[in-house]
Amino acid sequence: MSTAQPTAPQPPAIIARTARSLRDFLKQESSGGIVLMAAAAIAIVWANSPLAPAYFSALETEVAVTVGGTGVQKSALLWINDALMALFFLLVGLEVKREVLTGQLSSWQQSSLPIFAALGGMAAPALVFVAINLGSPGNLQGWAIPAATDIAFALGILALLGSRVPVALKALLLAVAVIDDIGAIAIIALFYTPGVDISMLGSAAVVLVLLAGFGYMRVGSSIPYAILGVALWYFVLKSGVHATLAGVALAMCIPMVDRRGEAKLEHWEHELHPWVAFLVVPIFALANAGVSFEGMEPAALLAPLPLGIALGLLVGKQIGIFGLAWLAVKSGIARLPDGVGWLQVWGLSLIAGIGFTMSLFIGNLAFASPEQINAVKLGVLSGSVIAAIAGVLILLRARRA
């Protein structure tokens, strides 16, 4: 007696599932972006209220997790940035893998425009930042801060515009942001890893090989991935490489389809996304967006560090994304999506200037001084808010055109 072996989903089923996943992702990411905005607003109000001491004291509270005498002790803020954000990076890794294998980045025809736009959107803001901070060498390590785009915040803004924005433009923004995330991950790994403990990095490599083996065998149970994922995070943390990169490495090991023919990566993404969108990222925003304006003069925004970040996000993103997209289309390398015009691409380049989550994250890696971190927050918040408002106005104008 024989039993039929499960088969992997056929191409039409994969296409339908991918389209459904994209719709679900855009819907949840947009809603999460709105929650993110609320969390950021609460943080700013809290940090400038009579309860501000409680806010900053809570973030500095030491929390220790030990098992058998071995463990990790960090402030609450660092637990959020190093541990909770590893889940954010895990989701980013899953999204990148899906987009590369079956989504917007699976072919040159689909990916050429967002690739050029994203490369410009990373390079131009960094150049703007460096140009403004050439006279302040102590600030130059923050060059990558304005290169980032906050996809949740950006899609949340587009969600508020509803049907005034075509789905094709949202998909283009998603693809640009995914490539931007790949660039941010590489930047963190290459430029924000001060020192490495070889023994711990070797232990992490062993765990990663085991995870890759499970992925190669398309193991269906999530338990071994989860257990080894925690071990990988611990060894990467202790190695000196930023611990959140463990989330990306774990994501690369999750198979698209397991041995039973079930969509394993899609399942992980579906289960993880609500937690990241509605808990992890809002908590990060609540912990990192609180900048105190006490004693701060309006002229503080004109200091090189915040000004470089703000103009990198506001001006650099426009130059980079719109400029390289225009060159790619005019040279015949890429083409605009159906239903998307140049005015909408301009609006998208401004919306992509909302750096927030990843910009604040890189800022925390680049600087240790509270004064510099406050300046980073000021630059990120001001640049992101102005870019968001300007982007909305351009997209509304494009709708009427």
Side-chain angles (χ1 to χ4, degrees), residues 10-35:
Q10 296 303 306
I14 292 176
I15 293 171
R17 179 177 292 160
T18 301
R20 185 174 66 251
S21 296
L22 178 60
R23 286 194 301 270
D24 291 344
F25 174 85
L26 290 171
K27 182 178 179 181
Q28 289 195 39
E29 196 76 29
S30 301
S31 302
I34 295 169
V35 175

Side-chain angles (χ1 to χ4, degrees), residues 29 46 51 72 128 130 157 287 347 386:
E29 196 76 29
W46 192 354
L51 298 176
V72 179
V128 169
V130 170
I157 294 293
I386 297 171

